[in-house]
Amino acid sequence: MNTLIGTDISAAGQFLEAGHPIGIPTETVYGLAANALSPAAVARIFEVKNRPTFDPLIVHVSDAVAAQKYALHWPDTARRLAEAFWPGPLTLLLEKREIVPDLVTAGLPRVGLRVPSHPLTLQLLQTLSFPLAAPSANPFGYISPTTAQHVFDQLQSLIPYILDGGPCRVGVESTIIGFEDGKTVVYRLGGLSMEQLEQVAGPLTLQLHQSSNPAAPGMLTTHYAPRKPLYLGSIDELQERFPKLRAGLLTLRPLHHKPAGALCISLSSAGDLNEAAQNLFAAMRLLDQSDVDVIFAEPMPETGLGRAINDRLKRAAV
Ligand code: TXA
Ligand code: MG
């Protein structure tokens, strides 16, 4: 299959109507999207991504009104969060309606709903008569794509079209929220910070989501992972521990003393964690494709998007 990259929304819509998965831009990462109401189209997503079908998919809709077609009950906090943060990097897990195929939710009782904030994808969603199921557009277990080129590099010939919306503005996946026994639960740290969420939802309970949880066997080592070993810790200590390896260094601010022979990438010269999140996955890909033996990454401050970045680095680490 010849994979085209472009900005043609009607071409994108035609491929989707024909049951093909395509690449779509969102503000977080690129998605691999297909008709969420067609089990056959959804099955193609799992095939292309090589993803186990027990890992459910997020359903993307054009607005909160459309979202009501797919979820039964809306706790008050869910309504307020949707109002405050949609379109945006927030996924709400809500009791699904019958119309959502079991393949989308992996047989689970809740569906993940999100209104993405990217003008091209919002326009696309408005022209379609169905919502879009979309996981991140990477092969299962690899780093999420934040440009159309990243998607092309890995999925070319498997999908007919990639809608090119430029580099992703947020750079890490959406924050996933659900509601249990009156509590607001965070299942995945992401592009919407805990601080922002707390302002609208009040106190939060943190409970790492099952399929990305270290407690789930085999999941941790394969999630968000580059192919080269990545160690998370103090760069100085790691270099002392592995003096013979040629290292790629991933830091927040530029290093004062660049070690000889090392390839250094700073995520934000100003130390801005939003900018760091934006650059994170592209930097991990770059180091993975370079000739270094190993990647050393330093942890970010645990505030704002620093938490989500640290979460991704931990999952990528050996
Ligand atoms: O920012 C994002 O969320 C991106 C863009 C494309 O929207 N999507 C994304 O999808 O990151 P994915 O499939 O790579 O990660 C979604 C996570 C999965 O780990 C899945 O287990 C969880 O959301 N999830 C989705 N639906 C769920 C459900 N019904 N119940 C529990 N967990 C769910
Ligand atoms: Mg993913």
Side-chain angles (χ1 to χ4, degrees), residues 116-132:
S117 156
H118 191 289
L120 275 187
T121 290
L122 276 179
Q123 251 178 287
L124 173 65
L125 283 166
Q126 281 154 10
T127 66
L128 296 172
S129 58
F130 46 79
L132 292 175

Side-chain angles (χ1 to χ4, degrees), residues 24 26-32 49 51 54-60 89 91 93-94 104-106 108-114 116 134-138 144 172-176 187-188 209-212 223-224:
I24 58 160
T26 84
E27 78 281 28
T28 58
V29 300
Y30 273 72
L32 178 63
K49 242 191 101 107
R51 172 166 167 142
F54 58 73
D55 199 359
L57 307 179
I58 294 172
V59 173
H60 298 71
T91 295
L93 290 185
L94 298 168
V104 171
T105 61
L108 295 167
R110 290 186 293 184
V111 59
L113 290 168
R114 166 162 128 79
S136 50
N138 48 289
S144 297
V172 290
E173 297 86 347
S174 61
T175 303
I176 303 182
Y187 300 96
R188 178 173 73 181
H209 188 259
Q210 200 192 358
S211 75
S212 314
H223 235 86
Y224 308 104

Side-chain angles (χ1 to χ4, degrees), residues 90-275:
L90 169 72
T91 295
L92 294 175
L93 290 185
L94 298 168
E95 194 181 332
K96 86 175 193 79
R97 286 188 197 264
E98 194 107 23
I99 185 173
V100 181
D102 283 333
L103 187 56
V104 171
T105 61
L108 295 167
R110 290 186 293 184
V111 59
L113 290 168
R114 166 162 128 79
V115 180
S117 156
H118 191 289
L120 275 187
T121 290
L122 276 179
Q123 251 178 287
L124 173 65
L125 283 166
Q126 281 154 10
T127 66
L128 296 172
S129 58
F130 46 79
L132 292 175
S136 50
N138 48 289
F140 183 66
Y142 196 65
I143 304 162
S144 297
T146 52
T147 65
Q149 186 64 43
H150 291 165
V151 182
F152 186 83
D153 289 346
Q154 295 193 295
L155 301 183
Q156 58 177 296
S157 82
L158 295 175
I159 53 177
Y161 200 71
I162 302 167
L163 192 59
D164 188 351
C168 299
R169 184 172 52 78
V170 175
V172 290
E173 297 86 347
S174 61
T175 303
I176 303 182
I177 300 285
F179 309 91
E180 290 180 37
D181 311 322
K183 287 196 203 117
T184 305
V185 184
V186 179
Y187 300 96
R188 178 173 73 181
L189 298 166
L192 193 62
S193 72
M194 301 274 277
E195 291 88 341
Q196 284 172 295
L197 276 166
E198 267 165 354
Q199 282 186 7
V200 175
L204 305 169
T205 306
L206 196 60
Q207 189 181 310
L208 289 182
H209 188 259
Q210 200 192 358
S211 75
S212 314
N213 191 316
M219 283 302 178
L220 178 64
T221 48
T222 59
H223 235 86
Y224 308 104
R227 304 214 159 82
K228 301 219 162 109
L230 182 150
Y231 291 86
L232 182 61
S234 138
I235 302 280
D236 287 343
E237 280 172 31
L238 286 166
Q239 285 198 300
E240 266 173 44
R241 208 173 128 199
F242 303 101
K244 296 223 169 66
L245 296 180
R246 176 162 150 74
L249 308 182
L250 195 58
T251 61
L252 179 56
R253 289 193 179 77
L255 292 172
H256 290 304
H257 310 286
K258 287 206 177 131
L263 178 58
C264 309
I265 299 186
S266 146
L267 293 176
S268 167
S269 55
D272 176 341
L273 292 169
N274 294 331
E275 188 183 10

